[in-house]
PDB file of all heavy atoms in Angstrom:
ATOM      1  N   ALA A  30       7.219 -17.322   2.666  1.00  0.00           N
ATOM      2  CA  ALA A  30       5.923 -16.755   2.439  1.00  0.00           C
ATOM      3  C   ALA A  30       6.007 -15.290   2.010  1.00  0.00           C
ATOM      4  O   ALA A  30       5.407 -14.875   1.044  1.00  0.00           O
ATOM      5  CB  ALA A  30       5.031 -16.950   3.625  1.00  0.00           C
ATOM      6  N   ILE A  31       6.903 -14.569   2.641  1.00  0.00           N
ATOM      7  CA  ILE A  31       7.212 -13.218   2.277  1.00  0.00           C
ATOM      8  C   ILE A  31       7.762 -13.091   0.855  1.00  0.00           C
ATOM      9  O   ILE A  31       7.264 -12.276   0.014  1.00  0.00           O
ATOM     10  CB  ILE A  31       8.074 -12.413   3.372  1.00  0.00           C
ATOM     11  CG1 ILE A  31       7.290 -12.261   4.683  1.00  0.00           C
ATOM     12  CG2 ILE A  31       8.639 -11.145   2.793  1.00  0.00           C
ATOM     13  CD1 ILE A  31       8.189 -11.946   5.743  1.00  0.00           C
ATOM     14  N   ARG A  32       8.704 -13.877   0.609  1.00  0.00           N
ATOM     15  CA  ARG A  32       9.340 -13.902  -0.807  1.00  0.00           C
ATOM     16  C   ARG A  32       8.289 -14.326  -1.755  1.00  0.00           C
ATOM     17  O   ARG A  32       8.248 -13.747  -3.004  1.00  0.00           O
ATOM     18  CB  ARG A  32      10.516 -14.854  -0.736  1.00  0.00           C
ATOM     19  CG  ARG A  32      11.666 -14.251  -0.104  1.00  0.00           C
ATOM     20  CD  ARG A  32      12.958 -15.172  -0.115  1.00  0.00           C
ATOM     21  NE  ARG A  32      13.985 -14.465   0.542  1.00  0.00           N
ATOM     22  CZ  ARG A  32      14.996 -15.025   1.153  1.00  0.00           C
ATOM     23  NH1 ARG A  32      14.913 -16.332   1.321  1.00  0.00           N
ATOM     24  NH2 ARG A  32      15.992 -14.339   1.710  1.00  0.00           N
ATOM     25  N   ALA A  33       7.393 -15.262  -1.501  1.00  0.00           N
ATOM     26  CA  ALA A  33       6.361 -15.773  -2.497  1.00  0.00           C
ATOM     27  C   ALA A  33       5.441 -14.640  -2.634  1.00  0.00           C
ATOM     28  O   ALA A  33       4.963 -14.536  -3.914  1.00  0.00           O
ATOM     29  CB  ALA A  33       5.637 -17.006  -1.891  1.00  0.00           C
ATOM     30  N   ALA A  34       5.135 -13.706  -1.752  1.00  0.00           N
ATOM     31  CA  ALA A  34       4.179 -12.703  -1.843  1.00  0.00           C
ATOM     32  C   ALA A  34       4.714 -11.423  -2.477  1.00  0.00           C
ATOM     33  O   ALA A  34       3.973 -10.579  -2.817  1.00  0.00           O
ATOM     34  CB  ALA A  34       3.422 -12.440  -0.477  1.00  0.00           C
ATOM     35  N   ALA A  35       5.996 -11.386  -2.496  1.00  0.00           N
ATOM     36  CA  ALA A  35       6.713 -10.113  -3.004  1.00  0.00           C
ATOM     37  C   ALA A  35       6.191  -9.681  -4.400  1.00  0.00           C
ATOM     38  O   ALA A  35       6.135 -10.528  -5.220  1.00  0.00           O
ATOM     39  CB  ALA A  35       8.177 -10.333  -3.017  1.00  0.00           C
ATOM     40  N   GLY A  36       5.720  -8.517  -4.498  1.00  0.00           N
ATOM     41  CA  GLY A  36       5.366  -8.026  -5.805  1.00  0.00           C
ATOM     42  C   GLY A  36       3.977  -8.451  -6.205  1.00  0.00           C
ATOM     43  O   GLY A  36       3.525  -8.016  -7.366  1.00  0.00           O
ATOM     44  N   ILE A  37       3.248  -8.996  -5.364  1.00  0.00           N
ATOM     45  CA  ILE A  37       1.875  -9.587  -5.762  1.00  0.00           C
ATOM     46  C   ILE A  37       0.928  -8.426  -5.960  1.00  0.00           C
ATOM     47  O   ILE A  37      -0.044  -8.557  -6.821  1.00  0.00           O
ATOM     48  CB  ILE A  37       1.359 -10.554  -4.609  1.00  0.00           C
ATOM     49  CG1 ILE A  37       0.288 -11.400  -5.141  1.00  0.00           C
ATOM     50  CG2 ILE A  37       0.909  -9.667  -3.386  1.00  0.00           C
ATOM     51  CD1 ILE A  37      -0.101 -12.556  -4.244  1.00  0.00           C
ATOM     52  N   TRP A  38       1.110  -7.287  -5.437  1.00  0.00           N
ATOM     53  CA  TRP A  38       0.200  -6.134  -5.734  1.00  0.00           C
ATOM     54  C   TRP A  38       0.750  -5.189  -6.768  1.00  0.00           C
ATOM     55  O   TRP A  38       0.181  -4.201  -7.061  1.00  0.00           O
ATOM     56  CB  TRP A  38      -0.060  -5.265  -4.416  1.00  0.00           C
ATOM     57  CG  TRP A  38      -0.930  -6.023  -3.361  1.00  0.00           C
ATOM     58  CD1 TRP A  38      -0.727  -7.168  -2.751  1.00  0.00           C
ATOM     59  CD2 TRP A  38      -2.142  -5.570  -3.057  1.00  0.00           C
ATOM     60  NE1 TRP A  38      -1.696  -7.465  -2.012  1.00  0.00           N
ATOM     61  CE2 TRP A  38      -2.643  -6.467  -2.094  1.00  0.00           C
ATOM     62  CE3 TRP A  38      -3.036  -4.511  -3.381  1.00  0.00           C
ATOM     63  CZ2 TRP A  38      -3.942  -6.325  -1.459  1.00  0.00           C
ATOM     64  CZ3 TRP A  38      -4.203  -4.337  -2.777  1.00  0.00           C
ATOM     65  CH2 TRP A  38      -4.682  -5.303  -1.890  1.00  0.00           C
ATOM     66  N   ARG A  39       1.884  -5.597  -7.409  1.00  0.00           N
ATOM     67  CA  ARG A  39       2.562  -4.724  -8.367  1.00  0.00           C
ATOM     68  C   ARG A  39       1.565  -4.194  -9.419  1.00  0.00           C
ATOM     69  O   ARG A  39       1.756  -2.921  -9.795  1.00  0.00           O
ATOM     70  CB  ARG A  39       3.675  -5.464  -9.009  1.00  0.00           C
ATOM     71  CG  ARG A  39       4.509  -4.655  -9.935  1.00  0.00           C
ATOM     72  CD  ARG A  39       5.862  -5.361 -10.109  1.00  0.00           C
ATOM     73  NE  ARG A  39       6.254  -5.924  -8.831  1.00  0.00           N
ATOM     74  CZ  ARG A  39       7.522  -5.964  -8.396  1.00  0.00           C
ATOM     75  NH1 ARG A  39       8.469  -5.580  -9.136  1.00  0.00           N
ATOM     76  NH2 ARG A  39       7.785  -6.486  -7.246  1.00  0.00           N
ATOM     77  N   ASP A  40       0.773  -4.951  -9.971  1.00  0.00           N
ATOM     78  CA  ASP A  40      -0.129  -4.508 -11.059  1.00  0.00           C
ATOM     79  C   ASP A  40      -1.432  -4.117 -10.584  1.00  0.00           C
ATOM     80  O   ASP A  40      -2.442  -4.120 -11.455  1.00  0.00           O
ATOM     81  CB  ASP A  40      -0.223  -5.433 -12.147  1.00  0.00           C
ATOM     82  CG  ASP A  40       1.183  -5.770 -12.847  1.00  0.00           C
ATOM     83  OD1 ASP A  40       1.902  -4.848 -12.897  1.00  0.00           O
ATOM     84  OD2 ASP A  40       1.555  -6.958 -13.155  1.00  0.00           O
ATOM     85  N   HIS A  41      -1.786  -3.891  -9.353  1.00  0.00           N
ATOM     86  CA  HIS A  41      -3.040  -3.644  -8.837  1.00  0.00           C
ATOM     87  C   HIS A  41      -3.448  -2.121  -9.260  1.00  0.00           C
ATOM     88  O   HIS A  41      -2.620  -1.161  -9.105  1.00  0.00           O
ATOM     89  CB  HIS A  41      -3.040  -3.672  -7.260  1.00  0.00           C
ATOM     90  CG  HIS A  41      -4.448  -3.677  -6.649  1.00  0.00           C
ATOM     91  ND1 HIS A  41      -5.264  -2.591  -6.580  1.00  0.00           N
ATOM     92  CD2 HIS A  41      -5.241  -4.753  -6.228  1.00  0.00           C
ATOM     93  CE1 HIS A  41      -6.381  -2.902  -6.045  1.00  0.00           C
ATOM     94  NE2 HIS A  41      -6.372  -4.156  -5.869  1.00  0.00           N
ATOM     95  N   PRO A  42      -4.674  -1.989  -9.804  1.00  0.00           N
ATOM     96  CA  PRO A  42      -4.994  -0.649 -10.271  1.00  0.00           C
ATOM     97  C   PRO A  42      -5.104   0.448  -9.198  1.00  0.00           C
ATOM     98  O   PRO A  42      -4.943   1.548  -9.541  1.00  0.00           O
ATOM     99  CB  PRO A  42      -6.464  -0.891 -10.808  1.00  0.00           C
ATOM    100  CG  PRO A  42      -6.822  -2.217 -10.339  1.00  0.00           C
ATOM    101  CD  PRO A  42      -5.667  -2.963  -9.982  1.00  0.00           C
ATOM    102  N   ALA A  43      -5.256   0.015  -7.919  1.00  0.00           N
ATOM    103  CA  ALA A  43      -5.238   1.127  -6.932  1.00  0.00           C
ATOM    104  C   ALA A  43      -3.870   1.700  -6.715  1.00  0.00           C
ATOM    105  O   ALA A  43      -3.762   2.719  -5.907  1.00  0.00           O
ATOM    106  CB  ALA A  43      -5.922   0.539  -5.637  1.00  0.00           C
ATOM    107  N   PHE A  44      -2.833   0.927  -7.086  1.00  0.00           N
ATOM    108  CA  PHE A  44      -1.488   1.408  -6.757  1.00  0.00           C
ATOM    109  C   PHE A  44      -0.699   1.504  -8.092  1.00  0.00           C
ATOM    110  O   PHE A  44       0.266   0.712  -8.227  1.00  0.00           O
ATOM    111  CB  PHE A  44      -0.839   0.483  -5.692  1.00  0.00           C
ATOM    112  CG  PHE A  44      -1.566   0.323  -4.400  1.00  0.00           C
ATOM    113  CD1 PHE A  44      -2.166  -0.983  -4.217  1.00  0.00           C
ATOM    114  CD2 PHE A  44      -1.821   1.351  -3.604  1.00  0.00           C
ATOM    115  CE1 PHE A  44      -2.884  -1.162  -3.042  1.00  0.00           C
ATOM    116  CE2 PHE A  44      -2.600   1.213  -2.442  1.00  0.00           C
ATOM    117  CZ  PHE A  44      -3.164  -0.096  -2.112  1.00  0.00           C
ATOM    118  N   PRO A  45      -1.020   2.432  -8.930  1.00  0.00           N
ATOM    119  CA  PRO A  45      -0.307   2.543 -10.138  1.00  0.00           C
ATOM    120  C   PRO A  45       1.126   2.994 -10.117  1.00  0.00           C
ATOM    121  O   PRO A  45       1.995   2.699 -11.033  1.00  0.00           O
ATOM    122  CB  PRO A  45      -1.096   3.504 -11.031  1.00  0.00           C
ATOM    123  CG  PRO A  45      -1.782   4.383  -9.956  1.00  0.00           C
ATOM    124  CD  PRO A  45      -2.060   3.485  -8.763  1.00  0.00           C
ATOM    125  N   THR A  46       1.436   3.656  -8.957  1.00  0.00           N
ATOM    126  CA  THR A  46       2.908   4.122  -8.867  1.00  0.00           C
ATOM    127  C   THR A  46       3.281   3.847  -7.367  1.00  0.00           C
ATOM    128  O   THR A  46       2.579   3.566  -6.412  1.00  0.00           O
ATOM    129  CB  THR A  46       3.029   5.705  -9.041  1.00  0.00           C
ATOM    130  OG1 THR A  46       2.160   6.286  -8.099  1.00  0.00           O
ATOM    131  CG2 THR A  46       2.473   5.946 -10.385  1.00  0.00           C
ATOM    132  N   ASP A  47       4.659   3.952  -7.186  1.00  0.00           N
ATOM    133  CA  ASP A  47       5.265   3.904  -5.865  1.00  0.00           C
ATOM    134  C   ASP A  47       4.762   4.920  -4.937  1.00  0.00           C
ATOM    135  O   ASP A  47       4.448   4.623  -3.786  1.00  0.00           O
ATOM    136  CB  ASP A  47       6.695   3.789  -5.881  1.00  0.00           C
ATOM    137  CG  ASP A  47       7.392   2.664  -6.464  1.00  0.00           C
ATOM    138  OD1 ASP A  47       6.655   1.656  -6.633  1.00  0.00           O
ATOM    139  OD2 ASP A  47       8.547   2.719  -6.812  1.00  0.00           O
ATOM    140  N   GLU A  48       4.506   6.073  -5.498  1.00  0.00           N
ATOM    141  CA  GLU A  48       3.984   7.266  -4.794  1.00  0.00           C
ATOM    142  C   GLU A  48       2.517   6.999  -4.235  1.00  0.00           C
ATOM    143  O   GLU A  48       2.273   7.399  -3.119  1.00  0.00           O
ATOM    144  CB  GLU A  48       4.067   8.545  -5.632  1.00  0.00           C
ATOM    145  CG  GLU A  48       5.360   9.064  -5.902  1.00  0.00           C
ATOM    146  CD  GLU A  48       6.087   8.232  -6.984  1.00  0.00           C
ATOM    147  OE1 GLU A  48       5.418   7.510  -7.811  1.00  0.00           O
ATOM    148  OE2 GLU A  48       7.444   8.293  -7.039  1.00  0.00           O
ATOM    149  N   ALA A  49       1.845   6.214  -5.007  1.00  0.00           N
ATOM    150  CA  ALA A  49       0.399   6.040  -4.563  1.00  0.00           C
ATOM    151  C   ALA A  49       0.409   5.066  -3.367  1.00  0.00           C
ATOM    152  O   ALA A  49      -0.371   5.179  -2.498  1.00  0.00           O
ATOM    153  CB  ALA A  49      -0.335   5.397  -5.797  1.00  0.00           C
ATOM    154  N   VAL A  50       1.418   4.118  -3.404  1.00  0.00           N
ATOM    155  CA  VAL A  50       1.504   3.130  -2.288  1.00  0.00           C
ATOM    156  C   VAL A  50       1.908   4.001  -1.016  1.00  0.00           C
ATOM    157  O   VAL A  50       1.329   3.721   0.126  1.00  0.00           O
ATOM    158  CB  VAL A  50       2.525   2.086  -2.499  1.00  0.00           C
ATOM    159  CG1 VAL A  50       2.759   1.211  -1.283  1.00  0.00           C
ATOM    160  CG2 VAL A  50       2.069   1.177  -3.727  1.00  0.00           C
ATOM    161  N   VAL A  51       2.874   4.839  -1.187  1.00  0.00           N
ATOM    162  CA  VAL A  51       3.333   5.668  -0.041  1.00  0.00           C
ATOM    163  C   VAL A  51       2.243   6.448   0.550  1.00  0.00           C
ATOM    164  O   VAL A  51       2.040   6.610   1.781  1.00  0.00           O
ATOM    165  CB  VAL A  51       4.642   6.543  -0.472  1.00  0.00           C
ATOM    166  CG1 VAL A  51       4.859   7.558   0.528  1.00  0.00           C
ATOM    167  CG2 VAL A  51       5.796   5.650  -0.763  1.00  0.00           C
ATOM    168  N   GLU A  52       1.425   7.152  -0.360  1.00  0.00           N
ATOM    169  CA  GLU A  52       0.340   7.922   0.058  1.00  0.00           C
ATOM    170  C   GLU A  52      -0.724   7.167   0.830  1.00  0.00           C
ATOM    171  O   GLU A  52      -1.303   7.518   1.839  1.00  0.00           O
ATOM    172  CB  GLU A  52      -0.270   8.623  -1.134  1.00  0.00           C
ATOM    173  CG  GLU A  52      -1.463   9.522  -0.876  1.00  0.00           C
ATOM    174  CD  GLU A  52      -2.071  10.069  -2.132  1.00  0.00           C
ATOM    175  OE1 GLU A  52      -1.393  10.460  -2.991  1.00  0.00           O
ATOM    176  OE2 GLU A  52      -3.370  10.136  -2.165  1.00  0.00           O
ATOM    177  N   TRP A  53      -0.942   5.867   0.304  1.00  0.00           N
ATOM    178  CA  TRP A  53      -1.990   5.027   0.946  1.00  0.00           C
ATOM    179  C   TRP A  53      -1.515   4.704   2.387  1.00  0.00           C
ATOM    180  O   TRP A  53      -2.263   4.797   3.253  1.00  0.00           O
ATOM    181  CB  TRP A  53      -2.165   3.903   0.088  1.00  0.00           C
ATOM    182  CG  TRP A  53      -3.102   2.685   0.697  1.00  0.00           C
ATOM    183  CD1 TRP A  53      -4.481   2.948   0.858  1.00  0.00           C
ATOM    184  CD2 TRP A  53      -2.787   1.454   1.147  1.00  0.00           C
ATOM    185  NE1 TRP A  53      -5.034   1.745   1.358  1.00  0.00           N
ATOM    186  CE2 TRP A  53      -3.923   0.986   1.598  1.00  0.00           C
ATOM    187  CE3 TRP A  53      -1.603   0.879   1.233  1.00  0.00           C
ATOM    188  CZ2 TRP A  53      -3.955  -0.381   2.188  1.00  0.00           C
ATOM    189  CZ3 TRP A  53      -1.557  -0.480   1.867  1.00  0.00           C
ATOM    190  CH2 TRP A  53      -2.779  -1.039   2.198  1.00  0.00           C
ATOM    191  N   VAL A  54      -0.192   4.193   2.524  1.00  0.00           N
ATOM    192  CA  VAL A  54       0.332   3.888   3.856  1.00  0.00           C
ATOM    193  C   VAL A  54       0.273   5.108   4.729  1.00  0.00           C
ATOM    194  O   VAL A  54      -0.165   4.992   5.837  1.00  0.00           O
ATOM    195  CB  VAL A  54       1.758   3.424   3.758  1.00  0.00           C
ATOM    196  CG1 VAL A  54       2.455   3.118   5.027  1.00  0.00           C
ATOM    197  CG2 VAL A  54       1.749   2.021   2.868  1.00  0.00           C
ATOM    198  N   SER A  55       0.668   6.262   4.310  1.00  0.00           N
ATOM    199  CA  SER A  55       0.564   7.455   5.125  1.00  0.00           C
ATOM    200  C   SER A  55      -0.703   7.848   5.511  1.00  0.00           C
ATOM    201  O   SER A  55      -0.956   8.118   6.770  1.00  0.00           O
ATOM    202  CB  SER A  55       1.251   8.695   4.268  1.00  0.00           C
ATOM    203  OG  SER A  55       2.554   8.418   3.994  1.00  0.00           O
ATOM    204  N   ARG A  56      -1.750   7.639   4.658  1.00  0.00           N
ATOM    205  CA  ARG A  56      -3.091   7.792   4.980  1.00  0.00           C
ATOM    206  C   ARG A  56      -3.537   6.923   6.175  1.00  0.00           C
ATOM    207  O   ARG A  56      -4.158   7.236   7.139  1.00  0.00           O
ATOM    208  CB  ARG A  56      -4.033   7.733   3.894  1.00  0.00           C
ATOM    209  CG  ARG A  56      -5.264   8.556   3.775  1.00  0.00           C
ATOM    210  CD  ARG A  56      -5.929   8.703   2.575  1.00  0.00           C
ATOM    211  NE  ARG A  56      -6.124   7.478   1.812  1.00  0.00           N
ATOM    212  CZ  ARG A  56      -5.565   7.129   0.642  1.00  0.00           C
ATOM    213  NH1 ARG A  56      -4.803   8.088   0.058  1.00  0.00           N
ATOM    214  NH2 ARG A  56      -5.731   5.971   0.067  1.00  0.00           N
ATOM    215  N   LEU A  57      -3.194   5.599   5.999  1.00  0.00           N
ATOM    216  CA  LEU A  57      -3.600   4.611   6.961  1.00  0.00           C
ATOM    217  C   LEU A  57      -2.848   4.975   8.441  1.00  0.00           C
ATOM    218  O   LEU A  57      -3.564   4.834   9.418  1.00  0.00           O
ATOM    219  CB  LEU A  57      -3.127   3.280   6.554  1.00  0.00           C
ATOM    220  CG  LEU A  57      -4.055   2.563   5.513  1.00  0.00           C
ATOM    221  CD1 LEU A  57      -3.457   1.160   5.184  1.00  0.00           C
ATOM    222  CD2 LEU A  57      -5.422   2.409   5.950  1.00  0.00           C
ATOM    223  N   ARG A  58      -1.696   5.408   8.329  1.00  0.00           N
ATOM    224  CA  ARG A  58      -0.953   5.580   9.579  1.00  0.00           C
ATOM    225  C   ARG A  58      -1.430   6.865  10.298  1.00  0.00           C
ATOM    226  O   ARG A  58      -1.373   7.001  11.543  1.00  0.00           O
ATOM    227  CB  ARG A  58       0.517   5.806   9.302  1.00  0.00           C
ATOM    228  CG  ARG A  58       1.265   4.491   8.978  1.00  0.00           C
ATOM    229  CD  ARG A  58       2.720   4.510   8.641  1.00  0.00           C
ATOM    230  NE  ARG A  58       3.301   3.393   8.487  1.00  0.00           N
ATOM    231  CZ  ARG A  58       4.559   3.103   7.920  1.00  0.00           C
ATOM    232  NH1 ARG A  58       5.256   4.190   7.598  1.00  0.00           N
ATOM    233  NH2 ARG A  58       4.978   1.931   7.682  1.00  0.00           N
ATOM    234  N   SER A  59      -2.078   7.806   9.526  1.00  0.00           N
ATOM    235  CA  SER A  59      -2.601   9.074  10.236  1.00  0.00           C
ATOM    236  C   SER A  59      -3.975   8.882  10.681  1.00  0.00           C
ATOM    237  O   SER A  59      -4.516   9.777  11.341  1.00  0.00           O
ATOM    238  CB  SER A  59      -2.441  10.174   9.180  1.00  0.00           C
ATOM    239  OG  SER A  59      -3.413  10.035   8.131  1.00  0.00           O
ATOM    240  N   GLU A  60      -4.616   7.859  10.472  1.00  0.00           N
ATOM    241  CA  GLU A  60      -6.036   7.630  10.889  1.00  0.00           C
ATOM    242  C   GLU A  60      -5.975   7.430  12.401  1.00  0.00           C
ATOM    243  O   GLU A  60      -5.143   6.901  13.024  1.00  0.00           O
ATOM    244  CB  GLU A  60      -6.657   6.244  10.323  1.00  0.00           C
ATOM    245  CG  GLU A  60      -7.027   6.350   8.876  1.00  0.00           C
ATOM    246  CD  GLU A  60      -7.652   5.054   8.371  1.00  0.00           C
ATOM    247  OE1 GLU A  60      -7.696   4.113   9.050  1.00  0.00           O
ATOM    248  OE2 GLU A  60      -7.941   4.954   7.131  1.00  0.00           O
ATOM    249  N   LYS A  61      -6.959   8.088  12.931  1.00  0.00           N
ATOM    250  CA  LYS A  61      -7.213   8.026  14.434  1.00  0.00           C
ATOM    251  C   LYS A  61      -7.971   6.589  14.629  1.00  0.00           C
ATOM    252  O   LYS A  61      -8.865   6.358  14.032  1.00  0.00           O
ATOM    253  CB  LYS A  61      -7.949   9.095  14.976  1.00  0.00           C
ATOM    254  CG  LYS A  61      -7.276  10.481  14.847  1.00  0.00           C
ATOM    255  CD  LYS A  61      -7.924  11.482  15.720  1.00  0.00           C
ATOM    256  CE  LYS A  61      -7.247  12.888  15.497  1.00  0.00           C
ATOM    257  NZ  LYS A  61      -6.033  13.088  16.229  1.00  0.00           N
ATOM    258  N   THR A  62      -7.552   5.941  15.739  1.00  0.00           N
ATOM    259  CA  THR A  62      -8.085   4.690  16.064  1.00  0.00           C
ATOM    260  C   THR A  62      -8.621   4.781  17.404  1.00  0.00           C
ATOM    261  O   THR A  62      -8.188   5.545  18.182  1.00  0.00           O
ATOM    262  CB  THR A  62      -7.159   3.451  15.933  1.00  0.00           C
ATOM    263  OG1 THR A  62      -6.135   3.734  16.761  1.00  0.00           O
ATOM    264  CG2 THR A  62      -6.713   3.320  14.544  1.00  0.00           C
ATOM    265  N   ASP A  63      -9.695   4.032  17.666  1.00  0.00           N
ATOM    266  CA  ASP A  63     -10.294   4.055  18.978  1.00  0.00           C
ATOM    267  C   ASP A  63      -9.637   2.915  19.890  1.00  0.00           C
ATOM    268  O   ASP A  63      -9.674   1.674  19.561  1.00  0.00           O
ATOM    269  CB  ASP A  63     -11.761   3.712  18.865  1.00  0.00           C
ATOM    270  CG  ASP A  63     -12.549   3.585  20.208  1.00  0.00           C
ATOM    271  OD1 ASP A  63     -11.897   3.803  21.217  1.00  0.00           O
ATOM    272  OD2 ASP A  63     -13.684   3.254  20.241  1.00  0.00           O
TER     273      ASP A  63
END
């Protein structure tokens, strides 16, 4: 399943570059949760 899903978001407009993905993940990880 992981292999089948690999690259599925590659052409998503929200993530035009690898840096955009890294920034998004960093933002999620820095969120405070209850």
